[in-house]
Amino acid sequence: MADGVSGGDVMMAGYSVVSARFEQTRVAVMKHELQGKMVSILERCMDMTITTIRSGGSPQA
């Protein structure tokens, strides 16, 4: 290329952008999945706590 940047450099820069975007998307998906798992765990803990309280028992570790 006339401006001193080779086609390979442009291609590598394009790959870097795509690669970085892919990584951002992958991390976002992992965060979303983790949040879902955490909510599920909290819901189960709350259900067990409510059941324990209603049955008149004391929570146990």
Side-chain angles (χ1 to χ4, degrees):
M1 294 186 158
D3 60 1
V5 178
S6 72
D9 290 341
V10 171
M11 192 162 175
M12 285 304 294
Y15 173 78
S16 295
V17 169
V18 170
S19 179
R21 185 67 182 140
F22 176 78
E23 183 67 13
Q24 286 176 339
T25 302
R26 190 177 72 80
V27 169
V29 168
M30 288 172 53
K31 282 175 64 178
H32 182 74
E33 289 173 351
L34 180 60
Q35 286 173 340
K37 289 177 183 177
M38 290 173 64
V39 167
S40 177
I41 291 168
L42 287 171
E43 286 173 344
R44 282 185 290 194
C45 289
M46 289 301 298
D47 288 344
M48 287 188 289
T49 301
I50 291 168
T51 301
T52 302
I53 292 169
R54 287 185 178 160
S55 67
S58 60
Q60 302 196 2

